[in-house]
Each structure stands twice: as C-alpha cells, then as structure tokens.
Amino acid sequence: MKTKITTCIALFSALISFAQNGEYDLLREHTQTKILYNQVFEISKITTQERKEVSTQYFKQVYHEIQRADFLNRLPEYQTLKKQADEANFSSEIPLALLISEFETLNPEAIAQGAITKNNSKYIVTNPHFKLFQNHQTTLMAPLVGKTKFSSISLVLKEKNIYNTTSKSIAYIHYKTSNQKQWSVLIPNQAFALQLNPSDANQIHFRVTFTNGDSKTITSTIQLENQSKNSFRATSAIQATAITSTIPYQGFGENQAYFGQGEYEIFLDNVDQVLDKPLFVVDGFDPGDTRNTTAIYSLLNFGNTGENLADLVRNEGFDIVVVNFPIYSPQNGVTIDGGADFIQRNAFVLVEIINQINAIKTGSQPNVVIGPSMGGLISRYALRYMEQNNLVHDTRLYISFDSPHLGANVPIGFQHLFNYLAFGPVGDVTLQEVVNGLLRSPAAKQMLVDHLDGHLQSGSATEFNNALQLPVGAPNFRNAFQNELNTMGFPTQTRNVSISNGSGNGTTTGTPGMFVLNDFIINASATERARIDLRFTPPAGVSNQLVSRFRAQTLLFSTWITLLTSQANAASPATSSGFDSAPGGTFSFGDFAGGPDADPLIEDFIANLEIDRFCFIPTLSSLSISDPNWYSIVPGASATPFAAIYVPTVNEDHITLTQGNVTFALNEILNEPLAIEQPNWNDNLVVKNPIKNTIEIYSSNLLSNATLSIFDASGKRIFSQNNISFEGNYQLDIHLSNGFYLIKIETAERSFVQKLIKN
C-alpha cells in the first residue's frame, strides 16, 4: 500500500517539476521518443484535446512544453522563437514554424501497479515488461506572430524552423488561403505573398504530407493589427510621419541613452483644410503597439450613434494631430516597445513633434493637447519640460484624460498569480508575454503604485516576501519617476483641466478583500488538479490577508493531497483600504491579460471570475489629489491643481468617453475659458499671493472706476465689485475655500488677470 501511495504522488509531482531536476533521468532509456511530457504542466492540453485551429500562441505553448520535456534537448529554447517574432515587428516577412513530434506520458496503471516507483528522489522502472507509457503525436504549423501592421505580407518557412523530433520524413507541404480553391506547394526558404483582409482574421491552411503517405491538415490565422470591422481612415488624413527625438534618454538598467522614435498623423479640419489650429491626441499605454494612428483616432468615439470627439472639433476648424509610439530598434540588437517605454523618452518625442507642428502650422492659434491615460503623463512632462528649458510649446489648453498622476493599479494578487503561472513550474507562454510586456515594461514599473518586483523574495523569480505592507513600487522605477514628476509640477503656461473616469462620491468597484476567484479548480486529469484563490487587497488596517494562492494537488483514495503551494499575503495601511476596489477608472482582467488567444488556462480564468473589473486609475490619482485614503470623496476642483475637472458619479471603464465628459471637453476646447494672462501693467499693479481671508492689492498709479471679479477654477464668476478707485494699498476681505482662483481687474483702458491660491 505504501508503494502505491508513493507512486500516485509521484505521478502528479511530475506535472510541477522541470526536467533539469534530474528526477526522471532514469526513465529516459525506457522511452521510445525520449520526450516524457509529464515533466511539464500541460497548459495546452494537447494530450486530451485536438485543436482544429492552431493559433500563434497555442503553437508557442505546445513548443515550449515539448522543448522542456525532451531528454535530448533537440529543440532550441522558446526564446529563440520569441526573438524571431520580435524581429518580425519590423518586417512584412512573417516567419512560419512547423513542429512534428511524438512523445509519451506515464501510464497511470504503471504507477498504480508499482512498475514505476521513486527511489532516492529518482523515478525508476521496476518492471520493464509492463506498459510504462502512453504514446502521443502532434503536427502543428503557424506563423510566429499572430498580428502584423503590414497589410501586404510574405510568409516563409525557413528550414531552421522545421522542428522534427521523429523519424518521419516530409514529402511535401502545401498551403491554401481563404481566397484560394487549389493548394499551392510551399517550398522551404521561399516566401509566398498574402494580402490581409482588415475585416477579420485571415485563415491559412497547411497540409503536411509524409513519405509514408500520412498527412495532416492544419489551419492557422494572422490578423491585420489595429483593424476591425468598424475601422476607417478619416478623410483629409495625411499619412503617418516618423520622427526621432533630438533629446536622448537613458532609463534605469539601460547601457546607454537612446533617441526616442514616434510617429504622428494629421487629420485636417473640415472647414479650410489648412493646418492652423492643431489639437494633439497623445496615445497612452499600448504594449506591442496594438493601436496605429487611425485606431487612436477611433478611441474618441462615444455614444451609440457613432459620434467622434475628433470629428466634432474638426467641424469647428481644429486639425487633429494623432501621436503614436511604435516598436522600433535604435540600434542592432536593441528593441524598444514605445507603447510601454519610459515616459520621459516618449515625452521627448512629443517635444519634437510639437516643435515640428509649430514650425509648419499657419497663423497664430495656440495648440490644444489631450492626453488619455499614460498619454496625459507624457503630455504633462513634455509641456513642463519645454517651459523649464525655454522651448515654446505655444499651447493654451492641456486636457488630462483619466491619467495616473499619482500612480496606477493592477491587483497585486493578480500580479503574483500570473507571474507564478508564467515563470514557475507551469510555464505558460501567453502569461510570460503578459508579465514581461505589460507588468515588467518600463512604463508599468514607473506607474504602478504596487509592483510584483517590490515583493519578490531575494533570489526568487516567483515567491513573495509576505511581510511587506502595501504598496511597494518597482525598485528604482516607481519612486524615482513620481518624485521627478512632482518636482517638475504641472505646465504653468497652459490651462490645465482633468477628466476622470472614476466616481467622485466614493462609489467602489467591488469591496476590499472580496474574492475574485474562490477555490477555482484547474483539472489536468481525473486525478490531478490545481486550485486557485484570488482576492482584492484587504480593508484598511488588515494585515496578512491572503490575496493569491496556487496549490497543486493529487487525488489519493478520495482525498486531495496538496503537493505544492505558492501564495501572496497583503497588509493594508491603517489610513486606507487597498487600491483594487477604490473609486476609479476600471479595467477588465481579461483585457489586461490580452485576451485568451487560445490559452485554455486564461479562458478558464476569465470565465470563472466573480468580478471582472478592478480599479485601474484611482479617482484621486486622475485628479492629482494627495490623500492618504484612496476612498475619499472628491471635495471639488479646489482640491486639485487643475483649473477645472469632470468627475462622474459612477466608476466607468478607463478612458471611456461619455456625453458628459465630451460636453466638458468641447466646452474647454471651443469656448476658450478665461485665460491666465501675464500682467500688462508691469509693476504698477501687484496682487499678493497666496491669500488667506484678505486679498491685498497695490497700485502705484490711481485706479478709477475699476471692476474687480473673482472666478473659480471652472471659470464661473463668484464675486464682482464695481466702481473701485484707489491708489497704493487696497484690501478686500473675502472668505474662499482652499483652491485656485482667478482675479480680474478691469478699467476702460486696460485689463489685469492673475491666478490666486487660497490656502
């Protein structure tokens, strides 16, 4: 009986171990294929499910599993495929890959009957005449990238990408696209052309025929990136222009400084078709450059009737300048993902674009800059940098749209779980791309108030130090960036306004400490499973609450035995509950994970969520309100550094345009609220600043019949006094709430406007 229990445990422990541990080395000579699949966690479920369609991600996952399960190490490591895929971002030639493999899994009966046992941490065969293994085979083919920005591409299967671990020989390979009726011969190393349909995924059928007469037909797809069935190109668009910054930037961990690269596209107005009233739309966080300039333009859609904010202002004579940050290579061997790059480097690209537009625009109309999400930080940094370095940005209005001025949030339990599933024993390729491309990108490390890298135990890639109190930002990134941003402040020569997608009345997204996944079970087989718990960060003052847990289990005589556990605990400060359920612009777990893309694990994860959204940009962060309690009610514009704000009463999806915030934006763009003017009376008139309950004014000349008005941050007149005459000192007693105001003093001959700060 003891032997039977030990061998049952051994069967599942194979699922959570790597081949390099050496536990299975003594089984190698007994296998025919030299690939023992039990050495990896079978995310692809390839031994139990045959897919009719092979996506890029599915191919990579199966390849990754077989490569690690191969005793002979015949396949290059997965990073080899990933490198080819990364390089394909810069080329219209897309590499194909073909995998032909036979492999084995342990026969449960061999374990149960003691034909395979464990001795001194090694699995050994005690009865070689027993059927020890079950045999499997697969033939898969797919492009190494599932999306491309090039509409005309060529596909090529290079001989180095034909991975065959079997003795079977290929007689020939055929291919057929959706538009073809006949099969065409695919010749290795010889590319064939394909015109992509922007409306949907483009199917490609492959048929591999072997010399023994066997054949396998595989279907895969490739999609034209940034396109959808509702895609469009606005009229009067000028093709996107590439641009390189003249200001280099060296981020933490980089060996040298690089000049950032970007692109912009001009959509001229519908009035005179002349570039004379530029309105910049600056793209936000976009790992992998999934949005081109046209797709960014379409982000300004709102309502159910297909209206678009950019279209509306173009009808009023404004010219839309859409700014994008693509993937680029500043030098051989270096790839920079602009959509997730250092905010400073992208800001320097925007500086260059503003300079270029100012040089070519007609007339004297100042610019308007709208920055959605991270684009708001890029815009803020660029405009303020130009002011501090005597560069003329010629901008009158800066609109921040749900931008994380005090940081963004992704649930730390979610970060722990996905990082563990990606880089722990499971080895999920899709999640590796999510973690590396999103969570570990420079921009994410700069913005996320709580980051997995700040919680990792020393020397561990997956295990958390559970003694830390939230939040802990990414070392060398988060605090350094926020301190720099705070020191720079906001642009001073512009009217700064903010739109938030988070509620201002304290409405939450779920509740602190709630379960997102409660004992969610992944079944690998009838006797092997994993159990997952995921929770929002806890209420204020609660310490050591579990927020993420992964357990690998095996079934022994009707009892599930836990063999492996990885978990993360969280402690919230006494001043505030955790960020996850705070008021704020929300984001979907599924969207953040990039969608399932044929990954069974993520498909199951998304389908079983008890809440599918979390607080991504806390309301207070979008308004730059420093408050130790992230759940505080917004007291009004006076509490923010912005001249005016728009805050809804419910939490909306991040960067969602509504009729309410569109009306607010249009009022700011079209009506040009009272601007802050430089005093035009030189030293003749001085208003003391900041103020308390008295406004002190000094005039060296006689003021006669003047009108004094005070406006709040929204531009509303809240006080007016006429027929004032004085020379020298003048005091006005007035009780105002803390915040920002404008004072305007007018006579028949002249006008004076100054910003007031009440504290």
Side-chain angles (χ1 to χ4, degrees), residues 507-555:
T507 301
T508 63
T509 303
T511 57
M514 70 172 292
F515 275 102
V516 178
L517 285 174
N518 187 2
D519 202 20
F520 167 54
I521 297 175
I522 304 173
N523 290 307
S525 70
T527 57
E528 299 97 26
R529 72 182 188 183
R531 296 172 65 179
I532 294 175
D533 297 287
L534 184 65
R535 298 174 74 171
F536 276 170
T537 41
V542 173
S543 61
N544 205 36
Q545 176 186 282
L546 181 75
V547 291
S548 172
R549 178 169 58 184
F550 176 91
R551 289 172 290 172
Q553 297 183 322
T554 189
L555 183 63

